[in-house]
Amino acid sequence: EDQVTQSPEALRLQEGESSSLNCSYTVSGLRGLFWYRQDPGKGPEFLFTLYSAGEEKEKERLKATLTKKESFLHITAPKPEDSATYLCAANNAGNMLTFGGGTRLMVKP
Amino acid sequence: DAGITQSPRHKVTETGTPVTLRCHQTENHRYMYWYRQDPGHGLRLIHYSYGVKDTDKGEVSDGYSVSRSKTEDFLLTLESATSSQTSVYFCAISSVSYEQYFGPGTRLTVT
């Protein structure tokens, strides 16, 4: 059975304090690893897709990386506006996404 | 929200009543999905569609049915709503690139 686990469940950072979010996955026939950002009361917003181990993608203060067993979302010098829940999801051979439980990030000024 | 709208955005209904949620897209994407999001369970797939009149079950399909008569519309029906179906429902769309784009959600409360 496909499984995606995110850690930590919640993370509090001071503005400017860099950190990483983890996404471990067990998926047969991985076709992509996706990261989303979700703000309260809104739908998930697509951030990145990673397809193969060693791949990296960047967007502003965020960088996503992928290994054969996990993905990391690195946040460099975060700002309060980066506060949100970050979701990762794995796409299997059946074109269905399995989501992790999310990491709730809070960045204090 | 990538040309996706959901209606209604909020609904309160009573146990045992039928409810239909609508997802409308303007992107002409082939795939459409219905998810529910609950605390402690994350996002779970209810049903999905891979073309007009082509649908299949997801992880938590019991108590739900779907229909897709046009490319742009995907309907989710709760035939007889129960309190366990109180949730936030999200529609998503994707093309062959597998990236899914989500709508704004519908908050459903079953009393």
Side-chain angles (χ1 to χ4, degrees):
Chain A
E1 182 182 330
D2 296 343
Q3 203 162 5
V4 177
T5 304
Q6 291 187 246
S7 61
E9 289 186 9
L11 181 62
R12 290 176 181 263
L13 298 174
Q14 288 295 130
E15 184 172 3
E17 180 187 2
S18 301
S19 188
S20 296
L21 283 54
N22 176 266
C23 172
S24 299
Y25 64 91
T26 306
V27 173
S28 57
L30 181 75
R31 287 192 173 181
L33 190 292
F34 302 84
W35 282 97
Y36 289 85
R37 170 190 170 126
Q38 186 174 25
D39 292 298
K42 296 193 174 182
E45 174 191 348
F46 171 76
L47 292 174
F48 303 110
T49 308
L50 301 166
Y51 292 104
S52 57
E55 189 175 359
E56 299 183 352
K57 293 268 180 78
E58 284 190 68
K59 180 180 180 180
E60 295 180 359
R61 294 176 293 281
L62 302 177
K63 183 169 81 172
T65 62
L66 182 67
T67 72
K68 289 188 176 180
K69 293 184 178 181
E70 52 193 353
S71 178
F72 294 93
L73 185 65
H74 308 277
I75 303 176
T76 302
K79 298 182 178 182
E81 53 263 41
D82 295 321
S83 298
T85 295
Y86 291 86
L87 303 170
C88 77
N91 187 324
N92 63 16
N95 194 26
M96 290 201 286
L97 290 185
T98 299
F99 279 86
T103 293
R104 191 160 73 97
L105 175 66
M106 293 154 282
V107 182
K108 293 199 167 185
Chain B
D1 291 316
I4 310 169
T5 56
Q6 293 185 230
S7 59
R9 294 294 314 279
H10 302 270
K11 186 169 182 66
V12 179
T13 192
E14 293 184 349
T15 298
T17 59
V19 176
T20 295
L21 308 183
R22 180 181 183 238
C23 177
H24 179 79
Q25 60 148 329
T26 58
E27 305 296 322
N28 201 36
H29 282 353
R30 176 182 177 186
Y31 298 93
M32 299 185 75
Y33 310 81
W34 277 108
Y35 291 87
R36 61 179 290 175
Q37 188 173 39
D38 306 286
H41 291 280
L43 276 160
R44 293 179 291 174
L45 182 66
I46 304 171
H47 281 281
Y48 67 101
S49 169
Y50 46 94
V52 173
K53 297 188 179 179
D54 291 324
T55 64
D56 207 345
K57 296 179 180 180
E59 178 188 355
V60 290
S61 60
D62 287 348
Y64 302 95
S65 62
V66 290
S67 66
R68 192 172 179 196
S69 58
K70 297 185 289 185
T71 299
E72 58 265 36
D73 289 325
F74 193 32
L75 304 180
L76 177 71
T77 298
L78 291 65
E79 301 290 347
S80 178
T82 68
S83 58
S84 65
Q85 294 175 313
T86 292
S87 187
V88 181
Y89 291 87
F90 289 103
C91 173
I93 64 174
S94 74
S95 64
V96 294
S97 65
Y98 307 121
E99 296 162 3
Q100 293 187 17
Y101 296 91
F102 285 78
T106 294
R107 183 173 294 275
L108 177 67
T109 302
V110 183
T111 60

